[in-house]
Every structure is written in C-alpha cells, then in structure tokens.
Amino acid sequence: MSSKRRLGFSRERELVRLFWKKGFACIRGPASGAKTRRIIYPDLIALKNGVIFIIEVKTRESKEPIYIDREKIIRLKEFARRAKGLPLIAIKFIGQTRWRFLHVNDLIETAKGNFKVDLEVLAKKGLTIEALEALASKTTKLNRFLFHSNSNSYS
Amino acid sequence: MSSKRRLGFSRERELVRLFWKKGFACIRGPASGAKTRRIIYPDLIALKNGVIFIIEVKTRESKEPIYIDREKIIRLKEFARRAKGLPLIAIKFIGQTRWRFLHVNDLIETAKGNFKVDLEVLAKKGLTIEALEALASKTTKLNRFLFHSNSNSYS
C-alpha cells in the first residue's frame, strides 16, 4: 500500500472514531482493492437514531478546490437512494481542526461532467458533525418525515 | 489468508450481491485484520428505505447448532442500538439454497454466557430475505414507528 493511501486510511479511521465518540455507529467500507468494490462502495456509513449518512472522505494538504469523479458521485447517490440516506462528502484540510460535510447536491458540476467542492460553497453550506448529530436527534415522526422528504428532493 | 477465511469472505460477498439484487444498499465491513476492528464491526450493513439491518454472517458445512461468542453479540447489539437498526445473524448451511435471518434476541444463551443458534428456533423464527424486504417496505409513519418500537423492546 502506498504511503499516500495509508495516510488516507488513517484519516478515515480518525473520522470513524470521531463519529463513534459522538454516539453514532460507523463503519468503513472494505479497502478499495477488495473484489466487491465493483458493486458500489462509499468510504463510510454513519448511523444514528435511524438516520443514515453515506460518506465519501476527502482530505487535502492545502486549502484548494477538490475534484471528484462523476462515477464516484453517481455511485454515492445510488447507494443513498437505496438506503434512503443523505449522501455527503466529508472534507478536511490538514492543519484545520474540524471536518465539514457537504451534501452532494451542493457540489459544482465541471465542464467535463465531474464534480468540484467549491471553497465558498463549503464555507457557506458545509455542515459540522454537530449539525449531523442534530439532524439525527430530530426523532419526532414529523421531523423524520420532513428530513426524508428533503433528502428525496435532493436526489 | 487461510482458505477457510477466504471461503467465509466469498460467502459474505454472495450475500452482499443478493441484497443488492433485492434493491438494498449493502456494505461489508473491513476485513477483521483491520486496525479499526477493535472499535466494533458487524460483517454487513444492509439498508433499504431508511430501515437498517446490522448483520453477522455465519455459514456452516453441516446443519448443526452454531455457537457465537458473547462479546460478538454484545458488540452487534451496541452497533444496532446506536444506529437504531435490527441486529441479525445471517445463516446459511452449505447445500441449502436460502439464507435465514435470526434476530439476536432469538439466540439461546449458553451456560457459559455465549450464544447459540438453535435449529428449531431457526426453523420457526428465521426470516427470509423477502421478509426483510417486506419490513423495509412498510414506510407508513405508523409502521415505521411500530417497527422501531419492536426493535427497541428487543434490546
């Protein structure tokens, strides 16, 4: 395994531990080399109180836009559609202390059909892990219903 | 990797494909050798329509009771409690065509505090994958509520 990939895994594990600390259940998908990878796999699933977050993890050394392949986003959305979960990109720029979570529908489509995390959009719409906690805590039936309706309208 | 473990993985993958075919999103956890294993990991998570199944996979060559370590069941239940999902054991005896799913609360506790899949209980209470589909299709708010209440009373 390359040292870059190892570093990516160690950051995924960091995020798993953070979710765990916040009371979520969280699981990493199998390593990308796994045979089942061809089915469709997000990096992480975080679950709390019946609410499902489907997550692709992106970390970068420096604060610049992040580009993501179209295929990866299509797969993430398909996974989220089946699960009825929220498809999110988890972003951390090394040196910053906090993770931010951006809904895939807040990505910018590039001319070639791929997707971009725009830094201004991220600053404006990126959610903290506490915001995800709050979403998962709204357990009244009405809020669950609204939450799921929003998630549908995104997809 | 031992050939036995490889075989176990290939059966997990078979079950992942089956869930996928039935319209679920499904993810395998990382291999048990992974560092994060110490956190808590089920073998599979299957998701459909906002309903969460937390699954430990057990396959056997011959039709005999299956014993499962206490620690594994405690971890499975804790994962399910956080997620608000249903903790299940997926069972297949090789040569039989169908998987059966048993709720962890239908396991029998042994004198040593471990757990056992009893074959009579399995025949009586084991769910088919179609039964899991049906549970995940009950999307009215009332049914969701009932479903989650049952799941709570089990834990």
Side-chain angles (χ1 to χ4, degrees), chain A residues 13 16-17 19-31 34-36 38-45 47-52 54 78-85 139 141-142 144-145 148, chain B residues 13 16-17 19-31 34-36 38-45 47-52 54 78-85 139 141-142 144-145 148:
Chain A
R13 281 198 297 268
V16 169
R17 282 192 296 268
F19 273 120
W20 210 260
K21 203 171 136 189
K22 294 283 186 184
F24 289 75
C26 186
I27 191 167
R28 277 176 52 226
K35 277 191 189 167
T36 34
R38 68 193 141 91
I39 295 190
I40 292 184
Y41 278 134
D43 291 326
L44 302 183
I45 311 276
L47 306 158
K48 192 175 186 181
N49 201 22
V51 178
I52 301 165
I54 313 296
E78 170 61 8
F79 199 104
R81 185 192 65 76
R82 287 171 171 245
K84 195 174 266 191
T139 54
K141 279 182 279 177
L142 178 63
R144 286 186 64 84
F145 179 72
H148 283 125
Chain B
R13 281 198 296 268
V16 168
R17 283 191 295 267
F19 272 120
W20 211 260
K21 204 172 136 188
K22 294 283 186 183
F24 289 76
C26 186
I27 191 168
R28 277 176 52 225
K35 278 191 188 166
T36 34
R38 67 195 141 93
I39 294 190
I40 292 182
Y41 279 131
D43 291 327
L44 301 183
I45 312 274
L47 307 158
K48 192 176 186 181
N49 202 21
V51 178
I52 300 166
I54 313 295
E78 170 62 8
F79 198 104
R81 185 192 65 76
R82 287 171 171 244
K84 195 173 266 188
T139 54
K141 280 181 278 176
L142 178 63
R144 287 186 62 85
F145 179 72
H148 283 125

Side-chain angles (χ1 to χ4, degrees), chain A residues 11 13 17 30 38 57 66 75-76 93 100 106 111 114-117 121 138 149:
Chain A
R11 287 170 186 160
R13 281 198 297 268
R17 282 192 296 268
R38 68 193 141 91
V57 179
I66 297 171
R75 289 179 169 209
L76 195 67
F93 297 109
R100 297 282 165 177
D106 292 324
N114 294 315
F115 292 90
K116 181 176 95 162
V117 176
V121 174
K138 292 179 179 172
S149 297

Side-chain angles (χ1 to χ4, degrees), chain A residues 55-101:
Chain A
I55 300 172
E56 185 71 26
V57 179
K58 293 288 172 193
T59 60
R60 290 292 183 271
E61 294 301 322
S62 54
K63 204 169 173 184
E64 53 191 32
I66 297 171
Y67 291 87
I68 308 170
D69 284 348
R70 179 177 192 80
E71 185 61 20
K72 199 163 253 183
I73 297 302
I74 288 172
R75 289 179 169 209
L76 195 67
K77 287 176 80 167
E78 170 61 8
F79 199 104
R81 185 192 65 76
R82 287 171 171 245
K84 195 174 266 191
L86 230 56
L88 301 171
I89 313 296
I91 297 142
K92 191 173 185 181
F93 297 109
I94 306 313
Q96 302 214 316
T97 53
R98 297 173 65 77
W99 290 88
R100 297 282 165 177
F101 301 86

